Amino acid sequence: MYGTLFLHIQLIYLEGTAYTIEDEIITTQLVQQINRDLKERPDLMQLTFENNNIVDVDGICQVFSSLRNYEKLEGINFRCNNFTDRVIEALCQGIKMKKELRTVDLGENRITDQSISMIGEALRTHVRLHMLFLDNNKITDAGAEGLAECLKNKQDLRILNIDNNQIGPDGARKLAVQLKSNYGLSKLYCDQNKMGEDGAAAIAESMAMMDSLKKICMENNNIKDKGALALSRVLDENDTLLSLYIENNQITSVGAQALAKMLKNKMKLSKINLNHNPIGDEGLSYISEGIANNETLRVITIADAGITKESVPIFARSLQNKRFLTKILLDQNKIGVDGAKILASGIKENETLTNLHLSHCLILEEGAIALASSLQNKRNLLVLDLNNNKILAGGCIAICKNIQHHTTLRELYMSNNYIGPDGAKQLAKVLLNKKYITEIWLSMNGIFAEGAVALGEALKDKKYLEVLVLKKNDINIQGIRALKEVLNLSKTIKELNLASNGIGDEGAAIVCDALINKQNQQLSYLGLSDNKITTQGAIKVAQLITKCDTLTELFLANNNIDNEGAKALVKAIKGRQDFKNIDLDNNQFSGEAITELFTILPLNKLNLIKSNLTEAQVTPIAKQIKHNKSLSQIYMSHNNLTDHSIGLLAEAIKENSSLTELFITHNDLSLPNGINFIQGLQNKPNLKSLALNSCKLNQSLLRELAESLKDNENLRELYLYSNQIGPTQAVYVSQIIANKRKLASLGLSNNQIAEDGAVNLAQNGLIDKENLAKLSLEGNFIGGAGLIAVSEVLMNNTELQELYLYNNHLDDVGMDKLGQMLANKTNLFALGLEFNKIGAEGASHILVNVKKLKNFEKLYLNQNDIKKEVGDAIIDCLSVIENLKELRLSNNKLGDEGGKAIAQALKNNKSLRICHLSNNKFSAEAAKGMAEVIRVNTVLRDLDLSSNLIIMEELQELANSFKEASLECLNLRNNLISAEEILAFDQVLQFVTNLPKRKFLF
């Protein structure tokens, strides 16, 4: 260590006036060396002391105090050292009279209010200070006066950074009083504080005289419309603004309108960030008008803003004159196919675009094809993000053909798009000339081994590849073998995720052997979850950990690793203080191995699912929860916890202030300490997700839960499945969620809330839940009255994406009200109504109202009482609906008439991939219609006609249709076919049952 540092300092010595020490353990010996070196630099101007671990506090205090002797010192960069108040005091003594200081960087040091007061006193007379960085510290309202002292007499101050502190409205007001005198400020960074609307308004007023202000960063401050209005008013006359960042501030269309008016005269503005503000279509329309005449805009980001296709036309028009536009980010806005087409026309002529981000925008295959043509002239494209858009192989191929000559591409995000092997092969061709590609994200695409082989060939020479994500693609061992050479040759791979690919121990060995002996190893993240890996593979991974000291995150959940493999992993990780995260959920070892992990790793996430835990094992886990300040996510399930163990966890959770996600399921909280556990949830303002499924929550526990969570307004997910919650207990569930306006997901399945409980829940709990996206009420017997109450209260909600009402004693009563409620659910993609008594009339109400929902994908109506009269509604729905992928109508009473109607509709449907129609009394006529469907429908992949009344003659016709069809699975089991008939037609049946990658089941 000493020799390495000495060489580093000697190299810097050649510059004469600068001295750097970073990433070191500051021992007494090292302090002595630093003192000797500094004495040889009387003309020291720049001192860097960054990311160090101070052991000799007295020694470093002496070094810092001695800085008073360096008259020419102009800059100190002291980031990321976790200074104590005592060290800050010594530093202040050293710099107090250093009037030549131009730059002071004390970011990421956990500076307290007491320390900032000392710094303020030390810097009071430093009139020439140009840059002050105090970001990522612990300054609160109480330290605002000390912070203001830092700014006194600083007319030359150009940059102030106080990002990520804890300054609230009062502190902002104190700071604003002083900022009014800092006329020369050019860049103000105050992201991630707690200023609120009043604090933001005060800071905005202080900007009135800053005639050189170019950049404002006020993200994550909850400034709301009031803050946006104040900023707009003050900045109206400003003609120097270049960048405005106000992400995640709860600004609505009201604030957007004011901002737009201000932006109309900002002809120099080049960057604007409005991500995660619910401005909606109205707000985007205002913003588009505001930037319409600006020709210098380079970057515009408006992710997750509630935008649909309605406002895209005016936005697209506003982009047409942006000659220098390089980045558009509209992630998580449901612009859909039409929006993608319109946007494509708006950027078609632009040749400067380098970054296009449209993830989670529901553009689908048709939208991707339209967008593809607009990319042809984007020869400088660096980043293309189309994650989660279901563009299919056709969309992928179109994109690839239009970017095949774009050699500059660095990052490609195309996960969850179902591009299949064909899309992957086309993508591989495109990647051949992408010399500088660094990141490829292709999770959940069904590329299989065939696609992996093509990618393996294309990526062999990619020297700069850093991230490769192929999660959930079923590439199996053949695919891993094809990627072996890529991993062998890559020198820069940092993140590799191969989860859910069935690669087994051989695949794990291939991966580890390829990575284990690399020079200049950079791998930091390895994902191998859900891969059928046993202890043999785990031992290989352990060997990799031992050899690869850069690896800090490892995911091996859902494998078959036993205690021997777990012990090998624990042994490899011991002594690795830099290890951040390891996920070993759902393997075959006892809690003892995981418990030992927690004694050696300061984890951010605790995963103990399906692990029996003794009291001795829970003790170190509880200590980890109690003392690890970075631990924010806890997942525990099926742990067979004793009452004493629950008590230990209760005390630990009570002390943990970082908790954001808590999943404690399938553990008995009705034990005496359960009440203490629930009380431990008090004062958890950051808790966003809570699951207490199958925990035997009785009435007193639910009452206490309502009391513990009453002040939490940030809860977004609540799951209370299988707790025998009846109508009386449902009242407390209503109390829990009453003030949770951000609630996005509520799970109450498999309880017994009945009609009265459902009505109470609707009227007292679900009211005003505008953000609710998922509601699960399966198995609660809510009946018609409960359904009507829930439907009425959700009429104005437009965010609902999933609704599950399985097994609720529902018939046609209330289905008209449910249908009306669904009519405006433009984001809905799944509806579950299985195991009820819904008839043709009720089903028709549903079909009529979902047919125009462009994002609707899954409809479950199996096990009901639906008869042939539903036929017209089915024909109408399936001929109009655009994106329905899965329809389940098994175990109804459709008969041949209903079957013929479905067949007629399926002939022309272009979206349905799964259709299950078993046990519906189909016979000859329905079977003939389905045979025609199989011949002409090129989209359908899975058709279930089992347990009907189909005889051998129709089966043969269905088999002949299946031969050359696109259908991948046809299920005809349990029909009226004898063994003798099967033997008679053996030649035909043998052919179709042996088709590769296809299933003919009879």
Side-chain angles (χ1 to χ4, degrees), residues 343-354:
L343 181 63
S345 66
I347 63 173
K348 189 172 184 179
E349 300 302 321
N350 174 288
E351 296 182 358
T352 59
L353 200 67
T354 60

Side-chain angles (χ1 to χ4, degrees), residues 188-245:
L188 175 61
Y189 302 87
C190 51
D191 296 338
Q192 200 74 38
N193 278 283
K194 301 177 180 179
M195 294 183 179
E197 51 191 351
D198 293 331
I203 294 291
E205 291 300 325
S206 73
M207 299 175 186
M209 300 300 291
M210 297 178 188
D211 55 8
S212 300
L213 194 61
K214 296 178 180 178
K215 185 173 185 177
I216 300 170
C217 297
M218 202 177 283
E219 299 176 355
N220 299 291
N221 269 294
N222 202 27
I223 73 171
K224 300 184 178 177
D225 290 330
K226 182 178 177 181
L229 288 164
L231 273 174
S232 302
R233 184 174 61 255
V234 172
L235 294 175
D236 192 53
E237 300 298 323
N238 175 294
D239 61 358
T240 59
L241 192 66
L242 300 178
S243 305
L244 179 61
Y245 297 86

Side-chain angles (χ1 to χ4, degrees), residues 47 64-70 73 75-76 78 88-101 103-104 106 118-126 129 132:
L47 177 59
F64 287 172
S65 296
S66 70
L67 293 179
R68 65 170 72 92
N69 301 319
Y70 296 89
L73 190 63
I76 57 170
F78 283 15
I88 289 292
E89 183 179 9
L91 176 61
C92 290
Q93 291 171 359
I95 65 173
K96 189 169 185 178
M97 303 305 293
K98 296 275 95 46
K99 297 183 180 180
E100 295 298 322
L101 271 179
T103 303
V104 173
L106 293 170
M118 290 187 283
I119 295 168
E121 178 66 24
L123 293 179
R124 182 185 295 176
T125 59
H126 292 55
L129 194 67
L132 178 60

Side-chain angles (χ1 to χ4, degrees), residues 668-902:
D668 188 358
L669 293 183
S670 68
L671 296 170
N673 270 313
I675 196 81
N676 296 325
F677 184 91
I678 297 296
Q679 289 171 348
L681 298 178
Q682 293 179 14
N683 303 315
K684 297 285 183 289
N686 298 317
L687 186 66
K688 296 178 181 178
S689 300
L690 175 64
L692 297 172
N693 304 333
S694 299
C695 283
K696 299 184 180 180
L697 298 181
N698 53 39
Q699 186 164 317
S700 60
L701 288 173
L702 286 167
R703 185 191 302 117
E704 193 61 45
L705 185 61
E707 179 66 22
S708 295
L709 296 177
K710 67 179 181 181
D711 295 326
N712 180 316
E713 297 182 359
N714 292 312
L715 195 70
R716 296 181 181 179
E717 296 179 286
L718 177 64
Y719 304 105
L720 299 172
Y721 296 134
S722 304
N723 276 296
Q724 297 184 351
I725 298 170
T728 304
Q729 292 80 26
V731 172
Y732 297 108
V733 178
S734 297
Q735 291 177 13
I736 292 169
I737 66 173
N739 65 339
K740 309 297 186 285
R741 295 183 65 87
K742 297 180 181 179
L743 191 70
S745 183
L746 176 62
L748 289 173
S749 298
N750 300 319
N751 284 290
Q752 300 167 8
I753 68 172
E755 286 191 353
D756 290 346
V759 171
N760 184 284
L761 183 70
Q763 295 176 348
N764 299 306
L766 293 176
I767 191 167
D768 295 328
K769 295 299 179 287
E770 297 177 358
N771 296 305
L772 190 67
K774 181 178 180 180
L775 178 60
S776 300
L777 291 174
E778 298 105 318
N780 270 293
F781 318 130
I782 68 171
L787 177 66
I788 291 170
V790 170
S791 299
E792 286 178 342
V793 80
L794 294 178
M795 281 291 178
N796 295 324
N797 172 301
T798 57
E799 296 300 317
L800 196 65
Q801 298 178 15
E802 300 174 74
L803 178 60
Y804 301 105
L805 297 168
Y806 167 108
N807 192 19
N808 266 300
H809 289 182
L810 303 177
D811 51 25
D812 288 347
V813 175
M815 285 296 145
D816 56 340
K817 191 66 71 173
L818 176 61
Q820 291 172 30
M821 184 269 286
L822 295 175
N824 67 343
K825 301 299 180 284
T826 55
N827 296 314
L828 190 73
F829 74 84
L831 175 62
L833 290 165
E834 317 96 296
F835 287 84
N836 285 292
K837 298 178 182 179
I838 302 167
E841 182 183 352
S844 296
H845 285 303
I846 302 302
L847 292 164
V848 166
N849 284 285
V850 300
K851 66 182 182 182
K852 293 183 180 179
L853 301 181
K854 293 195 173 182
N855 298 316
F856 191 59
E857 295 186 5
K858 299 179 180 181
L859 178 59
Y860 305 122
L861 283 166
N862 37 301
Q863 202 74 37
N864 276 286
D865 194 30
I866 304 170
K867 299 177 181 177
K868 63 182 181 179
E869 288 79 10
V870 80
D872 289 343
I874 287 179
I875 293 172
D876 182 41
C877 180
L878 293 183
S879 63
V880 174
I881 200 162
E882 293 185 11
N883 291 304
L884 187 67
K885 301 289 191 301
E886 186 172 348
L887 176 63
R888 296 181 185 263
L889 278 165
S890 295
N891 298 297
N892 280 286
K893 300 173 183 177
L894 293 169
D896 266 353
E897 290 300 314
K900 286 195 304 182
I902 293 174

